[in-house]
Amino acid sequence: MRILVTGTAGFIGFHVANRLLNEGHTVIGFDSVNDYYDINLKYGRLAAAGIDMHEPNNHIKIKSTIYPSYFFYQGKLENKNNLENVFKKESIDIVVHLAAQAGVRYSLQNPEAYVSSNINGFANILECCRHFSIQHLVYASSSSVYGLNDSIPFKTTDNTDHPVSLYAASKKSNELMAHVYSHLFKLPTTGLRFFTVYGPWGRPDMALFIFTDSILKKKPVQIFNSGKMLRDFTYVDDIVDGVIKAMYKAPKQKKEWKKSTSDTSSSSAPYKIYNIGNNKPVNLLDFLDAIESELDVKAIKEFLPMQPGDVVTTYADITNIKNDLGYLPETSIKDGIRNFIKWYKKYYSI
């Protein structure tokens, strides 16, 4: 198939694109390559897949030197005309939408970026999918949508009406917007609520990267809420496995679905929501201990209060995705951390 993957200069998008290419698909990559974090890391991911780009190159099609069926466009989701041009040129079958303005804490500093990319940009993706007869839209949501929900583990049937960050609210809006297009235009959509993804080529604003970097540079490791936090850390290969499984199974209309009695993660429309997590939450201090053990270096710990917009626990109930798609995470925390540190040392020549 010909698959548009947005966010291919990003962490998860890079890994998804590589898996799809290795499975024999044609991948059309799309990314703004913004400077939210180290742009050289984004260029590095692109280069690892054969996309040679070291400076802005907006809207020009680049062919991979490694994969003959990989093509890349730099552009912003908010620019509807340029996004439409990609759809017109590329005869796309399926869209895997992973591009977004990420980060909970950054949404406190730059809320406009989240409205622009995550809401306006997503509206443009939906419009293009509608007008170009896309077979299935798979898109990234987030565990952050659970907000103030205190039912553990988080089920897709739980209430998600009380987000605690603008990032979470933007992801919740994506789910609602997708349902409208599934209902009105019969566009099959699948939303995937990712739980704390980590692994090689990971983002510098995520815990594993920050902890590893700080320990090796002998800087204090900031630990919020005195470390009294649980995270359902999910290795990137397991996330990719869930994305691909979901992509191959587009939801269908369910005439028997009833609002009053049915699962709120599905609908009478061709619409579905899944959690993708490890289903084994880890205490933040235990996670740090595992990093220290792998590095054989002790961290300098700095204990701080809870950050605005953060939550104490994330814990994915994966019953639905396991039953429907056969998803089952396989990577242990120990192996995942080891793989990341091995990549980190190689990438930064340590």
Side-chain angles (χ1 to χ4, degrees):
M1 293 182 288
R2 295 180 65 82
I3 303 167
L4 173 67
V5 181
T6 69
T8 46
F11 173 34
I12 301 172
F14 161 74
H15 286 281
V16 168
N18 277 269
R19 177 80 69 87
L20 289 170
L21 290 162
N22 287 325
E23 289 189 4
H25 298 288
T26 294
V27 171
I28 314 302
F30 187 92
D31 200 297
S32 68
V33 198
N34 67 28
D35 61 357
Y36 166 59
Y37 58 80
D38 182 11
I39 200 167
N40 290 316
L41 180 58
K42 297 183 179 186
Y43 287 148
R45 294 187 190 116
L46 290 170
I51 301 297
D52 186 16
M53 195 179 95
H54 298 288
E55 58 186 30
N57 195 9
N58 286 309
H59 317 304
I60 297 173
K61 184 176 181 178
I62 303 173
K63 184 175 181 178
S64 169
T65 57
I66 296 173
Y67 297 103
S69 58
Y70 183 27
F71 307 92
F72 177 79
Y73 292 86
Q74 183 184 11
K76 292 186 176 182
L77 297 170
E78 305 93 297
N79 190 325
K80 188 177 180 182
N81 289 335
N82 287 313
L83 191 61
E84 281 184 339
N85 285 336
V86 174
F87 277 79
K88 286 176 183 176
K89 291 176 182 177
E90 299 298 345
S91 302
I92 295 159
D93 299 310
I94 287 175
V95 174
V96 179
H97 177 55
L98 303 172
Q101 177 56 61
V104 169
R105 290 166 193 154
Y106 186 62
S107 66
L108 300 173
Q109 304 166 32
N110 190 2
E112 295 86 357
Y114 293 78
V115 174
S116 181
S117 178
N118 298 6
I119 298 177
N120 296 337
F122 190 66
N124 290 339
I125 286 285
L126 287 169
E127 276 290 281
C128 287
C129 288
R130 168 195 174 191
H131 290 294
F132 290 90
S133 302
I134 297 304
Q135 298 171 21
H136 187 195
L137 166 63
V138 179
Y139 63 95
S141 185
S142 168
S143 62
S144 66
V145 301
Y146 289 103
L148 294 179
N149 171 62
D150 59 2
S151 175
I152 302 295
F154 296 167
K155 299 180 177 65
T156 52
T157 52
D158 289 341
N159 185 288
T160 55
D161 291 339
H162 302 94
V164 295
S165 69
L166 187 61
Y167 171 69
S170 73
K171 288 299 185 178
K172 170 70 173 178
S173 77
N174 288 173
E175 296 179 2
L176 298 174
M177 293 161 72
H179 185 269
V180 171
Y181 276 71
S182 293
H183 174 73
L184 292 178
F185 309 115
K186 310 305 179 230
L187 170 67
T189 66
T190 300
L192 304 173
R193 294 173 179 170
F194 297 151
F195 281 70
T196 318
V197 191
Y198 75 101
W201 294 100
R203 289 191 354 234
D205 62 334
M206 298 295 284
L208 177 54
F209 200 117
I210 293 171
F211 290 177
T212 301
D213 191 67
S214 296
I215 291 169
L216 289 174
K217 292 177 180 176
K218 302 188 186 308
K219 294 180 179 179
V221 173
Q222 294 185 334
I223 303 168
F224 298 102
N225 201 38
S226 299
K228 297 173 184 175
M229 302 174 80
L230 290 171
R231 286 291 178 269
D232 202 343
F233 292 103
T234 313
Y235 190 66
V236 66
D237 286 358
D238 292 324
I239 289 286
V240 172
D241 189 49
V243 172
I244 304 299
K245 281 178 167 25
M247 188 196 79
Y248 283 133
K249 189 175 181 180
K252 297 179 180 179
Q253 291 180 266
K254 304 176 188 67
K255 293 182 180 179
E256 72 279 5
W257 186 88
K258 300 293 182 185
K259 178 182 177 182
S260 59
T261 59
S262 294
D263 180 358
T264 54
S265 66
S266 63
S267 169
S268 56
Y271 168 88
K272 191 66 184 174
I273 298 289
Y274 290 115
N275 287 335
I276 301 188
N278 196 39
N279 193 227
K280 295 176 183 176
V282 176
N283 182 279
L284 195 60
L285 291 177
D286 292 337
F287 190 69
L288 179 57
D289 284 346
I291 298 169
E292 289 176 320
S293 177
E294 188 62 36
L295 290 172
D296 196 23
V297 180
K298 281 293 181 184
I300 304 166
K301 300 180 180 71
E302 180 183 1
F303 292 98
L304 297 169
M306 191 75 163
Q307 287 285 95
D310 219 339
V311 296
V312 174
T313 300
T314 65
Y315 182 0
D317 183 311
I318 59 171
T319 302
N320 287 346
I321 193 170
K322 180 180 176 181
N323 291 342
D324 292 356
L325 307 180
Y327 168 79
L328 198 62
E330 297 179 346
T331 310
S332 70
I333 289 291
K334 183 177 180 180
D335 288 343
I337 288 173
R338 178 178 294 125
N339 291 344
F340 170 82
I341 290 173
K342 192 180 297 181
W343 166 81
Y344 180 97
K345 288 182 173 180
K346 181 180 179 182
Y347 184 77
Y348 289 103
S349 302
I350 294 175

